[in-house]
Amino acid sequence: MSVDGALARVIRSAAGRAERTEAETCELCAADVAAEHPHLYDTGAAEVRCVCRPCSVLFADDGAGEGRYRLVPRRRLRLPPVDTGVLGVPVGLVFFVPRADGTVTAQGPSPAGAMRWEVDPAAWQRLVAAVPQLATMTPDVEALLVNTVRGLDAHWIVPVDDCYRMVALVRREWRGLSGGGEVWPAVEQFFRELTERS
């Protein structure tokens, strides 16, 4: 085989691999998944996994996985303003995830990814007593998402994968020390596009 022929074969092979990796696949059965697809929360790895609809059905109502995988719900619920200052988290763009073991983590986006804090469980319980909707959150897979940056006052119960999308958006759009001119309009657009789902 000529050098030109071998090079062309390598280029075609690399292009084929790039196309295959760009298309998302189910992390359980390797089937292609649509742009809008379900997610599972892997409790062992503390990560969100993409799944196809047929595989997601296996995990509805904690049906399979012996608790290792939890289906991320699709509920989004807009809340009235919530006084999260009592939780002691010093940022205005943050999400709070109650865990199955009773702990609560707060995570805020940054240019390097998510920053993480442990929240005082007693302070969280006081907040839940003041805002009863928070008691309906499913541990590990739903979060209280808050944005009080630049005069906004947005509070939502959302699927945890929405929070990770927001972290990725901030990381992608951040420029320089202050974020630049693109990140905050992009975050505001993210919150405008949130719609309630039940």
Side-chain angles (χ1 to χ4, degrees):
M1 177 182 294
S2 72
V3 171
D4 289 337
L7 182 58
R9 195 176 86 228
V10 168
I11 290 170
R12 278 194 308 274
S13 175
R17 277 195 309 275
E19 286 175 15
R20 285 192 300 276
T21 58
E22 286 177 14
E24 288 190 275
T25 58
C26 176
E27 294 186 53
L28 296 181
C29 73
D32 288 340
V33 296
E36 283 284 319
H37 55 269
H39 291 104
L40 293 178
Y41 179 73
D42 181 340
T43 60
E47 293 179 350
V48 173
R49 310 259 184 222
C50 298
V51 292
C52 63
R53 295 212 185 278
C55 284
S56 75
V57 171
L58 298 172
F59 298 91
D61 301 321
D62 298 324
E66 298 178 352
R68 175 168 179 190
Y69 297 107
R70 306 194 55 212
L71 185 62
V72 176
R74 301 308 322 143
R75 173 175 78 144
R76 290 187 187 137
L77 178 64
R78 182 188 296 263
L79 299 174
V82 176
D83 181 14
T84 56
V86 300
L87 300 177
V89 176
V91 294
L93 182 58
V94 65
F95 60 97
F96 300 90
V97 182
R99 302 293 178 186
D101 64 4
T103 62
V104 179
T105 58
Q107 297 179 57
S110 78
M115 301 176 296
R116 186 181 199 133
W117 302 268
E118 293 297 319
V119 172
D120 175 30
W124 176 258
Q125 289 307 317
R126 286 192 297 276
L127 187 63
V128 168
V131 184
Q133 295 99 322
L134 298 179
T136 69
M137 291 172 58
T138 306
D140 297 318
V141 293
E142 286 188 307
L144 169 62
L145 177 60
V146 176
N147 184 6
T148 58
V149 176
R150 296 174 63 160
L152 294 179
D153 206 8
H155 300 81
W156 289 79
I157 293 175
V158 296
V160 73
D161 53 357
D162 278 353
C163 300
Y164 296 136
R165 280 190 313 110
M166 189 258 310
V167 168
L169 175 118
V170 169
R171 189 170 187 186
R172 183 180 66 240
E173 299 295 335
W174 193 279
R175 301 290 180 273
L177 295 175
S178 64
E182 301 296 321
V183 68
W184 300 117
V187 168
E188 290 168 13
Q189 181 64 29
F190 175 89
F191 276 85
R192 278 194 298 273
E193 290 174 357
L194 286 178
T195 56
E196 293 199 50
R197 295 181 190 167
S198 56

